[in-house]
Each structure stands twice: as C-alpha cells, then as structure tokens.
Amino acid sequence: MELHTSALCTLGDIAPLIRNHPASPPSGPIVKPLPHDLFIVHGTSAEMRWEAMRGQGYHVPTERFFVRNHTATPIIDVRTWRLRLHGDALRAPRSFRYEDLLALPATTRDVTIECAGNGRSFFASQQGTPATGTQWRLGGIGVARWRGVKLATLLDLAGITKDAVDVMPVGLDQEYVENGVNLGHVRRPLPVAKALDDVLVAYEMNGEPLPPDHGFPARLVVPGWTGVASIKWLGSIEVASRELSSPWSTGLYRLADRPLTTQVVKSAFELPWEARLEAGRQHILHGRSWSGAGHIVRVEVSVDGGRSWQRAHTRKRLAAAWAPWHIAWCPPAPGPYTLLARATDETGATQPVRAEYNPNGYLFDAVVEHPVTAV
C-alpha cells in the first residue's frame, strides 16, 4: 500500500524526542525497553516473540518491533544532523537538513523489514546443519507504516546523471569490528535501478518520528530486500558511475557468490513456542505469511505434522508486506502436536520442506515445525 501526502510534521514535533534523547551514548546497545514477554534478546539485537502479535493489527506496534544492531543504537542530535549526497554521478552534490526532508513531498508505504538470518536457528534444530550467526527463530521481522521522501526525489535534486551505476548509503552507528578487523560504518551498495524505483528515506514509523532504535533521524526502507539494505541512521549516500562494494556486499550477506537481495517466502503462527492449548475444544489459530517477491496468494496449514493440509482463511488483498490468516482447529486428545504453515506467493514460489543450506544461515524458507501441546 502506498500513499502520497504532503509533509505535515515539523521540527517542533520531535522536540520531546530531542529532550528525551540528548547527544550522548545510550547505556546499552538498545534504547527501548525489552520486556521478556515481547522479546528474546540476542546481544545487540532483540527478536519479537510471535505471540506478541496476537490481537494486533496489520502493523507491528513500534514498541514490539524487532531490533537488529551491528553495534549499538546511536543517539543523534537532529539539529546538527545532515544527510550528505556526494559522488561522481551527481551534478549538484548537496546536503539535506531534517527540515529539508520534512518540506519535501512525502510518501507513505506499508513495508516489511526482515533480517537476512531470520529463521537461522532452524538449520540446526530442524535440519541438523547448524549455521553461524544470531540464532533467530522467526521474530527477526516487522511490518510498519513508513513515511518519508522517495530516494529518487533526493537523487533528482542532487542531479543524478545517466551514467550512475550504484548508490552507497552509510549509517552513523559505531564502526563494526569482526574477528579483530574494523569493517567501518555499516554500508551496502544498491543498484541505481532499485534506488530509483521504490526506496524511501523514511523519517516516520507508524505515524510517529522514528525512534532511535529504528533509525532516527532518517533511514532507508528498501521494499522486498533483506533488512541489511535498509540502512539506519543515514549519514551519507554516495552515487557513483562504477560498481561500489563494502564488507556487507563482498564478504557478509552473500549467497552463491552474489550479494543477497530479495527475501524468500515464510510463515509464522501467532503462538508461543511450545504453546499449551486445551484439548477437545476449538481454537482459532492465527498467523502471517510473507514474501519479498510480492503478495501471498495461498496459505495451507497442517495440524498433524504434514500428513494432511487445509487451506487457511486469508484476509482481503492488502499490501504486499504480509498476509494475515487464520484456521480453526480442535485438538482431538491431549498430547504433543506439530503445527505447520506453508505459503505460496504470486510468483508461484512455495515454502519447501527443507531449506538449502548455507554456512551463514541466510534466507531460511522451509516450513517451520511449531511444537504445541494439548492438555
């Protein structure tokens, strides 16, 4: 879903945010509260518990939205912040203040942000092939209503040339060190075709200014692509007439010798892991399915470990971000059960029984075995 509106908020609207978050480092890697019933904490990151979405609307409430940090959330003084556009494929390099972004025509879109390693833990627990990295279940994802300026608008204002090839956004979080090697600020190139297509420079999330953990003052939102492309805390964007690279495209976030781009099909139940349900009575099982390639067209659920499948009820065609669904189930007797959900997107891609292994655990797309017990 995409809406075009004029800019409405002002610098005065974020004055409380400035007062509450002075220009000083936070005490931990994540600023917002992380209650145990909403999150599983993974060091500098926090995974949303899927049961936290039960009864919620289409969007993940901001306070429940997962956090993926390479280092720690920076606290940035918006009054001195600038977004600098530079490079040899710009005729008029320039910087934008926060007020400049707010004054430009705004676009609002419902978009999924999902970590490339979402579901990584199942390579080990379901397939017996452990992968390195944060052991996410399925909570490294969120859908929000993002509002901001099209990146294409900023590139046009900076005079992008016809020979532009790549765009390199750079974040303002601390430089990232891995295995003793300083990889610098998080940055990852985008091909100019994608940058000019549907990418936002967002400054609002779910109707409010971006919180620090989610990219304040401004972040990229790159629909359909793995979350690493949606750089937070934007500080600069290079526009070049040649291919650009960074450790996040040449070493990390690669699969089959190519940088990761489009996300895969996945499904999740809005249930606690190892949920306990009353036997002999009907339950309405809720969940959501999504794909970076477009709309979900079919969701099927199995309550007997995959021996039989029933089509779930999906809501009317909404944004491509994800598709909520539900199905009725009455556990016939007490005991353990394995629930499965598989989705098919508009390209015909369907979740497989087994995901193709890669040592970094990217793009796990297999049907997830969700354990429950009827009591």
Side-chain angles (χ1 to χ4, degrees), residues 254-284:
R254 291 179 67 85
L255 190 59
D257 297 324
R258 290 183 295 178
L260 298 178
T261 55
T262 307
Q263 271 286 8
V264 292
V265 189
K266 293 191 182 79
S267 301
F269 287 91
E270 295 173 5
L271 277 173
W273 198 252
E274 299 179 343
R276 297 174 69 82
L277 303 174
E278 184 179 345
R281 63 173 290 262
Q282 181 172 276
H283 300 270
I284 305 298

Side-chain angles (χ1 to χ4, degrees), residues 291-335:
S291 169
H295 288 85
I296 296 295
V297 297
R298 184 173 68 254
V299 180
E300 298 166 293
V301 171
S302 173
V303 296
D304 56 12
R307 291 188 294 275
S308 63
W309 295 86
Q310 292 178 286
R311 189 154 181 172
H313 301 279
T314 54
R315 294 172 57 183
K316 64 180 181 179
R317 190 178 177 94
L318 299 170
W322 59 16
W325 47 263
H326 66 275
I327 194 168
W329 177 49
C330 179

Side-chain angles (χ1 to χ4, degrees), residues 189-201:
L190 283 173
V192 71
K194 180 65 173 177
L196 292 174
D197 181 21
D198 56 1
V199 179
L200 280 185
V201 175

Side-chain angles (χ1 to χ4, degrees), residues 6 13-14 16 36 39 47-49 54 89 132 138 161-162 201 203 220 240 272 283 330 342 375:
S6 59
D13 294 332
I14 61 167
H36 179 73
F39 292 101
E47 174 176 359
M48 179 191 74
R49 294 184 184 273
R54 183 69 182 94
T132 61
L138 288 173
T161 63
K162 292 182 178 180
V201 175
Y203 49 75
L220 280 197
H283 300 270
C330 179
R342 68 184 179 194
V375 295

